[in-house]
Amino acid sequence: MSEAPERPDRPLLPPALWALVATLALSRAVLLAGPGAGEVALVTAVVAVPAVAVLLALLRTRARPVAASLLVVAVSASCAGLACAGELRAQEALADALASSPVSSWELVVEGDLREGASGWRGRATAVRDGVRASGVWLLADEPLGMGIALRCVGRFEPNGQDDWGASSRAQGLAGTVRAVRVLESRPPEGLRGAVVRLRDAVLESIDASSSDARALLAGTICGWTGAMSARGLDEVFAACGVSHLVAVSGGHLVLVAGMLSRLLGRSRLPAGLRAALLLAVTGGFVAFCAAPPSAVRAWAMSAVAELSRLAGRRSHPLTSACAVAIAMALLDPGVTGQLGYLLSVLCVCGICALGSYARHAVRALLPRRAAPRPRSRLGSALGRAQADAEEALSLTLVSQAVTAPVTCATFSQLSLVAPLANVVLGPLFSVLLALGLPSAALVWAPPLQAVALAGCDAVGGALMALLRLLAALPLACVPVSVEEGPALAVLAVLLSLLLAWWPRVSRVAATGALAALLCLGLAWAARWGLFAPARVVVLDVGQGDAILVTDGAAAALVDTGPGDAVVGALARANALRLDAVILTHLHADHAGGLEDVLGAVSVGRVVVPEDTDAAALPGGCAVEEIGYGDRLRVGRFSLEVVSPVEPAGGEGNEGSLELLLAFDDGERSLTGLLAADAEVEETSAAVGRGDVGDVDFLKVGHHGSAASLDAETAAALDPEVSVACAGEGNSYGHPDPACVEVLEGAGSVFLCTIDTGDVTVEPGVEGPVVSCQKGGEP
C-alpha cells in the first residue's frame, strides 16, 4: 500500500462567503418573523450607517484587511435588510389590495407547475393589475393549470396567518393564498415564453409521463416536471435514497448540456465571444424550458460569470462567483431565500467549493490503492477511470449531504444512510438518461426517430428505478430524525469551524476506527429503539389532527396519521424506526391525511381500517386489513379492542370512527385507556352503557376536545387520571373547548393538550400511569 495522498491546502474563504451567510441569515430571520416594513428599514439604517462609517475609517489604519472584509459583510447585510423591507412592503400592499377588492379584478399568472395536494392543485402565481406586476401568492385551484397561463377568476383571498405555514409562505415571497372558485377567462403565455411553454407541453405529451416509472422519471429529468413522479409515489423512494437532487434541474444538468453544445461549437469557426453567447443562450433556454427553478437559475448565472471571466482573461474563483451570484439573487428577490431549491443549491455549491478537495483527500486515504502504477490494458484504464469517477462522486455526495443535512433533516424529518452508495451507483445512469433524453426531446417533431430514443430512455430508466427500489428496501436505508433548522445550522457551523482550524491529515487507521465507532453507536441506537422500545403510548403533536404511537419492545403501531407530513417529524422525535401497523380510525383528512407520508418515511407492515372502508381511497403498496366491533389487535403486550361503532360504518363520519380500548398488564405495571378518535358523547356513552369500557387510567379525548365530546356523566364513568386532547395552535374550531376541559377537570382528571405540551407520553406504572410531556416534563 502507498502512503496516504497529500492533504490539500486549507481553503481560502473569501469575504463574499461571510457576506452570503449574513445575507441569508438576516433575510430568512426577517421574513419568517414578519415585522413591519418601516421598522425593518429604520433598524437597518440606524445600525448600518454608523457601522459602515466606522469600517470606512478603519480602512486607513493597519486594520485595513479585516475592515475591508467586514465592510463587504456590512454592506451586503444592509442591502439585505432594505431588500427585505421592500419585500414586506410589497406583500403588505398586495394583501391589503386583494382584501379590499374582488379577486376577479386581478390577473394571476401561473409561474410554475402546480402540484396536487389534499386541498387541490397548488402553485405560485404573480398578481397583475392594470399591467403592473405585484407580489406573489399561492394559487389554489380544483384543476391543474399550465405554466405561464394568465387567468381571471372568482375566488377568495386569505392573507398569511401567524402560524408556521404563514411564516413559510411569507419567507418565500408570497403574500397569501388565492382560492380559485371559478375561472372566468384564461389565456396562454405569449411571445418567447409562450413558444418555450408550447415546446415543453409538446415534449411532455410525447413522453406520456404517466405511462411508467421510467417515463415519469424522464419528464422530471429533462423537463423539470415531477407531477407524474409524485402521482406514482416516486418522491418517497428518491428521498429515501437521498438522490432527489439528481432529478432536480440544476448545475449537473447544465454541465452536461453545455458539454454537448461545446463539442458542437468547438468544431465551428465562430468567434469565442459568439460561441459563449450561443452557449449561454441555449443553456438559458433549457433553464426556462424546465420552469426556471432557483437552483438552475443560480447554476446558469454562475456559468455566465465564468464565461465572462474567461473572455476577459481573468481567472475566476468558483467560491467567490457562487457567493456573488447567490447574494445577487437574494437581493433582487429576498423571497428566494425561503425556497428549498435555492438553499440546497447554494449550500451544496459552497460546500463543494470549500471542502471538495479535502473530501477527496479523505476518500482516497480510506480506499485501498496500488503501490505503484502498472501498464494497463484498455479495460484496466476504463476501470481506473471508473474508480476515479466513483471516488469523485462519493466525495461530492458526502460534502453535499453534510452541509445540507440541517435543512433537509428539518424539512423532511429523515436522513438517508444509503445516499453515498446510491449516488455513486445511480449518478452515471442519470447522466446516461439525461444524454438520451435531451435528443428525444429535440426529436419531438419526428415521432419515429423519437420512439427509438425513448426506447433507450425506457431501458435506462427501468434499470435505474429497479436499482433505486432495491437500495430503498435495504434495512435502515433511511432513518427518521428530528432537528430544528436553526440550532442544527449552528452546530454545523461550529463543526466546520473546528475542521478548518484543525485541518487534520486523514489517517486510514484513525478514520476506519472513527467510522467503526459511529457504526457501533448507530447499531446500538437502532437496537434500543427497534428491539427494546419501552412500553408506552405517545400522543404525538401533529397540529389539528390525531396520531398516537403505541410501542412495546420490537412491536409498534400508529393509530391515525394526522393531517399531513408533520407526523414524520413526530415519529422521528419518538424514535419510531418501523411500524407493524397503521390503524386508521376513519378517513377524515385530520386522521388519515398523513398516511402517504408515513408510508414513504418508515417501513409499515399493514394498514388497518374500519369495516367496509373503500380501500381504493388509500395509497397503494401496503396490505390492508379491516376490523370491526369486538376485534382485538396486539402490539407487544398491549391490546387494542374496538368498542365502537357496533355496526360497520366504512370509516365515514365522526360517529363511525373506531374507539379503541387499550390495556397493558405485565404483572407489575398496568395501564388502561380509551382512544376515542373523533367519537362524541353519544358514541362514548353508548360504549360505557354496554359495559364495553369503564374506569380507565388514560383518555385520548374524542373530537379534539370539542364541547360535544363528553358530558359529566360519561366523564365520571370513565374517571381518567389523565386526559389528552389533540389540537393545533390557532385552530378555527376553538379546540379544546373550555366546556370539555371543565367537565374532565370536574371529574378529577388532569387535562393536557398538545398545543401546550407537545407530545405526551403515557407509560404503565405500578401505581397509575406515568406521564411526561415534550414541553415541560411531567405534568
Side-chain angles (χ1 to χ4, degrees):
M1 295 292 180
S2 63
E3 296 181 0
E6 285 295 321
R7 175 185 56 182
D9 294 334
R10 185 180 283 105
L12 176 64
L13 302 182
L17 177 61
W18 310 118
L20 174 61
V21 171
T23 299
L24 293 181
L26 181 63
S27 298
R28 285 176 61 78
V30 170
L31 294 180
L32 284 171
E39 180 184 350
V40 175
L42 177 61
V43 171
T44 300
V46 169
V47 174
V49 171
V52 171
V54 170
L55 291 171
L56 287 173
L58 289 175
L59 289 178
R60 302 176 182 177
T61 68
R62 293 182 179 180
R64 178 175 179 175
V66 176
S69 298
L70 292 177
L71 183 61
V72 172
V73 175
V75 170
S76 180
S78 302
C79 292
L82 296 176
C84 288
E87 174 64 34
L88 291 171
R89 184 177 292 109
Q91 291 188 29
E92 292 168 3
L94 178 59
D96 291 341
L98 282 169
S100 60
S101 62
V103 170
S104 58
S105 65
W106 292 79
E107 185 176 70
L108 301 174
V109 181
V110 181
E111 297 299 338
D113 296 313
L114 272 61
R115 294 177 65 93
E116 188 176 15
S119 54
W121 293 83
R122 180 184 293 274
R124 298 172 63 95
T126 299
V128 181
R129 194 175 194 181
D130 299 328
V132 178
R133 298 172 72 88
S135 186
V137 294
W138 287 117
L139 176 63
L140 193 59
D142 293 329
E143 58 185 22
L145 299 168
M147 181 178 67
I149 285 179
L151 70 142
R152 293 185 183 274
C153 65
V154 175
R156 299 185 300 272
F157 171 71
E158 182 179 350
N160 292 325
Q162 298 303 314
D163 55 2
D164 291 342
W165 173 257
S168 174
S169 299
R170 183 172 56 248
Q172 296 180 62
L174 302 172
T177 300
V178 171
R179 171 71 183 188
V181 177
R182 186 174 77 256
V183 175
L184 300 176
E185 61 175 304
S186 64
R187 56 182 175 83
E190 301 171 348
L192 181 59
R193 185 182 191 189
V196 172
V197 170
R198 287 191 293 273
L199 173 61
R200 183 175 188 252
D201 290 342
V203 171
L204 285 173
E205 183 178 0
S206 67
I207 288 175
D208 189 14
S210 61
S211 62
S212 68
D213 288 352
R215 293 294 180 92
L217 179 57
L218 183 63
T221 303
I222 66 171
C223 299
W225 184 70
T226 58
M229 291 182 59
S230 298
R232 302 182 70 87
L234 303 187
D235 289 349
E236 290 79 10
V237 181
F238 275 79
C241 291
V243 292
S244 298
H245 63 283
L246 294 177
V247 181
V249 179
S250 59
H253 291 66
L254 290 186
V255 167
L256 185 57
V257 173
M260 296 170 65
L261 186 59
S262 294
R263 282 192 289 272
L264 292 175
L265 292 175
R267 299 174 182 176
S268 69
R269 297 183 179 181
L270 296 175
L274 182 56
R275 288 202 304 270
L278 287 172
L279 184 66
L280 292 176
V282 173
T283 53
F286 176 68
V287 171
F289 177 80
C290 297
S295 58
V297 173
R298 189 272 316 153
W300 182 85
M302 277 193 63
S303 66
V305 170
E307 284 295 323
L308 292 175
S309 298
R310 187 179 61 81
L311 291 174
R314 300 190 62 180
R315 181 181 178 184
S316 63
H317 188 265
L319 183 54
T320 300
S321 299
C323 293
V325 168
I327 291 172
M329 292 179 67
L331 297 182
L332 291 172
D333 179 14
V336 77
T337 62
Q339 298 178 34
L340 185 62
Y342 168 85
L343 285 175
L344 296 181
S345 175
V346 169
L347 287 170
C348 281
V349 171
C350 291
I352 289 171
C353 289
L355 300 173
S357 60
Y358 187 81
R360 285 188 287 271
H361 161 69
V363 168
R364 289 170 181 170
L366 283 169
L367 297 179
R369 311 185 72 82
R370 296 184 183 277
R374 296 186 302 178
R376 291 181 176 180
S377 62
R378 290 184 178 181
L379 177 60
S381 298
L383 291 175
R385 288 193 300 270
Q387 180 180 352
D389 291 342
E391 291 175 352
E392 181 75 5
L394 180 59
S395 304
L396 300 186
T397 298
L398 291 173
V399 172
S400 299
Q401 191 172 25
V403 298
T404 60
V407 176
T408 55
C409 291
T411 303
F412 303 113
S413 299
Q414 57 185 25
L415 175 66
S416 175
L417 300 182
V418 79
L421 174 62
N423 278 272
V424 171
V425 173
L426 301 177
L429 282 176
F430 267 100
S431 298
V432 174
L433 181 65
L434 182 58
L436 292 173
L438 291 173
S440 71
L443 293 170
V444 64
W445 309 121
L449 295 177
Q450 186 190 41
V452 176
L454 288 176
C457 294
D458 289 339
V460 175
L464 198 153
M465 287 307 307
L467 285 172
L468 194 66
R469 294 186 185 281
L470 179 64
L471 292 171
L474 293 175
L476 297 179
C478 183
V479 295
V481 295
S482 177
V483 299
E484 294 292 334
E485 182 179 301
L489 284 171
V491 171
L492 175 65
V494 171
L495 293 176
L496 292 180
S497 298
L498 292 174
L499 173 63
L500 290 170
W502 184 22
W503 206 244
R505 186 183 305 278
V506 176
S507 161
R508 181 177 300 171
V509 174
T512 302
L515 289 175
L518 287 175
L519 179 61
C520 290
L521 289 174
L523 292 175
W525 174 82
R528 167 69 176 90
W529 293 104
L531 300 176
F532 305 103
R536 57 179 177 158
V537 180
V538 187
V539 182
L540 301 171
D541 179 14
V542 293
Q544 186 64 20
D546 277 16
I548 300 104
L549 176 69
V550 182
T551 68
D552 182 29
L558 181 67
V559 180
D560 288 331
T561 65
D565 60 3
V567 66
V568 178
L571 289 173
R573 290 194 301 270
N575 298 306
L577 301 180
R578 54 172 299 279
L579 298 169
D580 297 298
V582 172
I583 305 165
L584 300 179
T585 60
H586 59 306
L587 298 190
H588 283 181
D590 58 338
H591 289 252
L595 176 59
E596 188 169 0
D597 296 286
V598 171
L599 294 176
V602 297
S603 172
V604 175
R606 66 191 191 280
V607 176
V608 180
V609 297
E611 286 182 312
D612 292 349
T613 295
D614 181 11
L618 303 174
C622 199
V624 178
E625 175 185 329
E626 294 185 359
I627 59 171
Y629 179 70
D631 288 338
R632 183 174 297 179
L633 301 173
R634 302 292 305 186
V635 183
R637 290 167 289 179
F638 282 100
S639 70
L640 295 170
E641 181 181 355
V642 179
V643 296
S644 180
V646 175
E647 298 295 331
E652 299 293 334
N654 292 339
E655 69 282 357
S657 60
L658 299 178
E659 287 192 84
L660 301 172
L661 178 63
L662 175 145
F664 176 97
D665 192 338
D666 66 357
E668 295 182 1
R669 301 172 301 156
S670 64
L671 179 69
T672 57
L674 178 65
L675 310 182
D678 265 355
E680 296 182 345
V681 62
E682 292 183 10
E683 292 76 41
T684 304
S685 61
V688 171
R690 291 190 300 269
D692 291 330
V693 60
D695 188 343
V696 295
D697 300 318
F698 157 64
L699 171 66
K700 201 296 297 179
V701 184
H703 200 193
H704 314 289
S706 70
S709 61
L710 281 173
D711 58 18
E713 182 180 355
T714 306
L718 294 173
D719 193 24
E721 292 187 35
V722 61
S723 303
V724 183
C726 302
E729 185 174 359
N731 69 83
S732 59
Y733 308 100
H735 295 158
D737 193 285
C740 175
V741 178
E742 183 178 353
V743 164
L744 286 166
E745 290 182 342
S749 180
V750 175
F751 181 86
L752 303 172
C753 182
T754 55
I755 292 176
D756 306 309
T757 63
D759 302 335
V760 179
T761 301
V762 183
E763 299 182 64
V766 177
E767 298 179 354
V770 178
V771 182
S772 59
C773 303
Q774 178 190 358
K775 304 174 185 176
E778 296 184 3

